[in-house]
């Protein structure tokens, strides 16, 4: 199988326990069940992303504030969604959005979505991450590249999303050799279109490739017309039980 390409034994998951990173459920008014499920005790949830309107929106949203508050009260990290537009979004706009997330929703960190992967963009990303950490002490920062970036990015954030895409690609994916120099807790995989019958295989791939944080769903992207990560997978209870009860970080 092509994903079994690295020599040697696979790394263990985060502190021996795989967990979920939720890329961003739909608005709480649209997906109230999903938000409620994320606060269920024992769910191995590392963090969840709050995406009000491709960012923090233009004014505080009481429904999002309530949902974020319930997650934080349950001990779950809440990350604000910042779209870097592959490095083309102005630094000032990213910082302004970060301020709004902190002021309105008191987030614990940020997911930098559509983050660039190339070496030339690294200084700009480092500047952004350093500023975010200055705004919020202890901020948990995830770079949402969706592919293996230039290795230097691993020193700039707490976690990297090194795969985001369909099961048809994930099941044959290969891991970059440089990731072996870092623990599994540094890497995340987001995979959509995973059939229930292939859950065990998907979990094996994640563990072998050294991902400590995952989000697998049977939802599809409908040809790019919808976000498959906005709702919980149909087998949410099953995948939670397969990973086992955990403590939110």
């Amino acid at each position: 199988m092509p994903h079994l390409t690295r020599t040697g034994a696979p790394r263990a998951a985060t502190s021996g326990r795989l967990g979920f990173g939720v890329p961003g459920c739909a608005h709480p008014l649209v997906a109230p069940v999903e938000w409620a499920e994320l606060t269920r005790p024992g769910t191995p949830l590392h963090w969840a992303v709050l995406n009000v309107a491709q960012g923090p929106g233009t004014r505080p949203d009481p429904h999002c504030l309530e949902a974020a508050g319930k997650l934080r009260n349950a001990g779950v990290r809440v990350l604000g969604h910042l779209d870097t537009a592959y490095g083309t979004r102005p630094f000032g706009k990213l910082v302004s959005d970060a301020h709004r997330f902190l002021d309105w929703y008191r987030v614990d960190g940020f997911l930098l979505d559509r983050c660039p992967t190339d070496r030339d963009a690294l200084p700009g990303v480092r500047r952004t991450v350093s500023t975010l950490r200055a705004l919020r002490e202890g901020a948990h920062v995830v770079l949402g590249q969706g592919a293996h970036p230039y290795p230097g990015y691993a020193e700039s954030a707490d976690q990297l999303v090194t795969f985001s895409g369909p099961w048809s690609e994930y099941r044959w994916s290969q891991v970059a050799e440089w990731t072996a120099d870092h623990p599994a807790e540094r890497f995340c995989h987001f995979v959509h279109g995973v059939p229930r019958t292939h859950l065990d295989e998907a979990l094996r791939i994640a563990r072998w490739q050294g991902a400590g944080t995952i989000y697998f769903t049977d939802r599809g992207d409908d040809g790019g017309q919808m976000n498959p990560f906005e709702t919980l997978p149909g087998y949410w209870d099953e995948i939670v039980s397969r990973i086992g009860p955990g403590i939110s970080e």
Side-chain angles (χ1 to χ4, degrees):
M1 298 174 68
H3 54 267
L4 305 181
T5 56
R6 184 191 296 147
T7 58
R11 296 195 305 272
T14 308
S15 301
R17 185 176 297 280
L18 201 62
F20 300 111
V22 179
C25 290
H27 191 278
L29 286 178
V30 178
V33 174
E34 280 79 356
W35 285 97
E37 275 293 308
L38 297 183
T39 63
R40 185 168 59 173
T43 301
L45 186 58
H46 293 166
W47 43 259
V49 174
L50 178 65
N51 186 2
V52 182
Q54 295 305 307
T58 57
R59 61 178 60 86
D61 185 312
H63 304 288
C64 290
L65 178 61
E66 180 181 8
K70 287 180 178 179
L71 279 177
R72 297 185 72 246
N73 288 339
V76 178
R77 282 194 186 109
V78 178
L79 309 183
H81 178 277
L82 299 177
D83 184 3
T84 73
Y86 303 110
T88 64
R89 192 127 185 270
F91 172 77
K93 289 188 176 181
L94 288 171
V95 173
S96 177
D97 279 357
H99 272 294
R100 290 176 179 177
F101 268 122
L102 289 168
D103 292 343
W104 297 345
Y105 306 108
R106 304 197 178 282
V107 296
D108 305 294
F110 304 93
L111 169 71
L112 275 62
D113 198 16
R114 298 202 295 169
C115 187
T117 60
D118 59 289
R119 184 174 185 173
D120 291 344
L122 179 56
V125 173
R126 281 178 173 163
R127 179 191 181 197
T128 299
V129 172
S130 296
T131 302
L132 296 178
R133 295 196 191 284
L135 293 177
R136 206 287 188 189
E137 184 179 357
H140 188 83
V141 179
V142 181
L143 302 184
Q145 284 133 337
H148 290 95
Y150 174 72
Y153 282 92
E155 308 305 327
S156 299
D158 296 285
Q159 292 183 295
L160 309 178
V161 180
T162 53
F163 185 92
S164 182
W167 167 244
S168 59
E169 295 178 10
Y170 187 63
R171 67 184 309 188
W172 307 115
S173 62
Q174 298 183 19
V175 65
E177 289 296 323
W178 63 262
T179 63
D181 297 329
H182 303 275
E185 64 192 34
R186 303 297 305 283
F187 303 106
C188 315
H189 291 172
F190 300 156
V191 190
H192 60 79
V194 182
R196 182 188 300 269
T197 53
H198 288 276
L199 268 180
D200 284 340
E201 182 184 356
L203 290 170
R204 284 196 300 270
I205 294 172
R207 290 188 171 102
W208 184 270
Q209 294 196 2
T213 301
I214 62 164
Y215 191 80
F216 295 162
T217 179
D218 51 350
R219 316 300 186 189
D221 65 359
D222 194 25
Q225 299 303 307
M226 62 174 290
N227 183 347
F229 302 122
E230 287 190 342
T231 60
L232 293 179
Y235 43 63
W236 175 251
D237 287 343
E238 182 174 345
I239 192 173
V240 167
S241 67
R242 289 193 186 199
I243 292 178
I247 300 173
S248 301
E249 297 180 358

